[in-house]
Amino acid sequence: NAGVTQTPKFRVLKTGQSMTLLCAQDMNHEYMYWYRQDPGMGLRLIHYSVGEGTTAKGEVPDGYNVSRLKKQNFLLGLESAAPSQTSVYFCASRRGTRSSYNEQFFGPGTRLTVL
Amino acid sequence: AQSVSQHNHHVILSEAASLELGCNYSYGGTVNLFWYVQYPGQHLQLLLKYFSGDPLVKGIKGFEAEFIKSKFSFNLRKPSVQWSDTAEYFCACLTGGSYIPTFGRGTSLIVHP
């Protein structure tokens, strides 16, 4: 199993450009998450999904949109990139609410720079 | 709202020193607790987790953590650290039935050879 994969690994954008980050998991997990990680700020949840076709806002959703059209994929979109969105983005997935399956599995991250 | 506090933001140790990283959570009900490690330039990986049973949990690479319900704590320990333990460590809490884990801000550990 590949686990959780993210595309691309690195990207540089100019202010105002748009892009989509792709997260894919092959573990048949129900829940998926997008986080951003900034120095000294820890992980901050952007959006999450509890199943195919569902999405919900996290702690810092402004400037981002998401879609979960297929269970295995969770897309994060930036419609008009801003320098404040320079960050490392991590996707994670989780199987469900039963205790044994509660841990998250993280992708390798996407390093985004907005100039 | 629940919260997770990691009181040590930066820890610097020499190899072979003992390690204890603090983690406190605020929720009073049933919790699942996790420690994740992020090595430089890598993604988060699970070190260990607690969901029920023995409050002393053993994880990978010689790490362990003790769940003390009365203190709302889940401190991470290792008796003898190595240079390769240099990383960022995150504590996380998930309450029963919740979709969203709450993460602490992380502790940066540097181990000098």
Side-chain angles (χ1 to χ4, degrees), chain B residues 24-102:
Chain B
N24 288 92
Y25 61 94
S26 64
Y27 186 71
T30 301
V31 294
N32 299 309
L33 296 159
F34 309 84
W35 276 99
Y36 290 89
V37 61
Q38 184 179 28
Y39 297 106
Q42 296 190 26
H43 62 284
L44 275 75
Q45 305 168 48
L46 183 70
L47 262 184
L48 48 79
K49 63 181 179 181
Y50 169 82
F51 52 92
S52 66
D54 190 343
L56 185 61
V57 180
K58 295 196 182 295
I60 61 172
K61 304 188 179 184
F63 286 91
E64 64 178 33
E66 185 175 12
F67 170 55
I68 304 180
K69 190 173 182 179
S70 61
K71 295 185 178 180
F72 298 89
S73 70
F74 190 55
N75 292 355
L76 182 70
R77 300 194 294 246
K78 186 171 184 178
S80 176
V81 294
Q82 300 174 314
W83 173 78
S84 57
D85 293 324
T86 293
E88 187 120 15
Y89 293 80
F90 292 92
C91 181
C93 172
L94 187 65
T95 58
S98 174
Y99 299 127
I100 306 173
T102 300

Side-chain angles (χ1 to χ4, degrees), chain A residues 29-79:
Chain A
H29 285 175
E30 288 295 327
Y31 305 158
M32 296 187 75
Y33 309 80
W34 275 108
Y35 294 91
R36 59 177 290 173
Q37 184 178 33
D38 303 289
M41 302 294 290
L43 288 172
R44 291 185 292 171
L45 182 65
I46 305 171
H47 286 279
Y48 65 101
S49 168
V50 300
E52 182 177 314
T54 74
T55 63
K57 294 180 180 180
E59 180 186 356
V60 289
D62 293 343
Y64 304 95
N65 57 76
V66 287
S67 65
R68 183 117 180 254
L69 299 179
K70 293 183 178 180
K71 187 177 183 179
Q72 63 268 33
N73 296 337
F74 194 29
L75 279 65
L76 178 71
L78 286 74
E79 290 186 347

Side-chain angles (χ1 to χ4, degrees), chain A residues 7 10 13 19 25 33 37 53 56 78 100 103 111:
Chain A
T7 310
F10 303 94
L13 290 179
M19 79 162 293
Q25 52 95 4
Y33 309 80
Q37 184 178 33
L78 286 74
S100 298
E103 68 208 67
R111 186 172 295 273

